[in-house]
Amino acid sequence: MEDRKVMIPDNGIITRDTPEYRILQDMLRHVERIADTLMTEVAPALSGERYLTTEQVMSQLHISRRALQTYRDKGLIPYTSLGKVLLYPESKINEVLERNYYDPMR
């Protein structure tokens, strides 16, 4: 993508009809393509493992902080502690989910 400078119109307003808006849209699409490429092609930095934060695990599993702590205390979910930061290996979280999967059709 060529470098194009976006000049704000004299009135300071960019609308969908201004050329500047189209340039900004093109730039955002380009950034999105780069981000998508990075997500699929760049390997995680720590020995090929991707680690999730507490917030990410809570969001992925739809559980509270307290529930996650209970799972840690009971040894149900593996984690690594670096000082006060807790990190969860994504592959191990997925293994736990697969191991505990209940198929209602069985």
Side-chain angles (χ1 to χ4, degrees):
M1 174 172 212
E2 66 185 60
D3 272 344
R4 294 188 276 179
K5 295 196 188 250
V6 177
M7 302 300 293
I8 306 295
D10 291 337
N11 62 4
I13 298 172
I14 296 177
T15 67
R16 286 189 230 171
D17 300 325
T18 59
E20 295 82 11
Y21 181 80
R22 288 185 194 83
I23 292 170
L24 286 171
Q25 273 187 316
D26 290 342
M27 293 169 111
L28 287 172
R29 284 188 192 102
H30 180 68
V31 169
E32 183 180 28
R33 282 192 297 275
I34 290 171
D36 288 343
T37 300
L38 289 173
M39 291 296 290
T40 57
E41 294 180 7
V42 176
L46 300 172
S47 302
E49 178 67 74
R50 184 179 318 273
Y51 287 85
L52 305 174
T53 64
T54 295
E55 288 72 22
Q56 289 171 319
V57 173
M58 289 176 2
S59 175
Q60 182 177 345
L61 300 180
H62 304 286
I63 59 174
S64 68
R65 185 175 299 274
R66 180 68 183 117
L68 184 55
Q69 181 179 340
T70 300
Y71 295 160
R72 283 195 316 266
D73 294 345
K74 290 183 175 185
L76 299 174
I77 290 187
Y79 67 97
T80 299
S81 176
L82 297 173
K84 294 183 179 184
V85 176
L86 298 177
L87 298 173
Y88 304 84
E90 184 177 40
S91 65
K92 300 296 183 189
I93 298 293
N94 289 334
E95 285 176 18
V96 169
L97 291 173
E98 289 172 19
R99 206 172 38 246
N100 292 289
Y101 177 73
Y102 171 75
D103 185 358
M105 297 302 195
R106 271 199 269 162

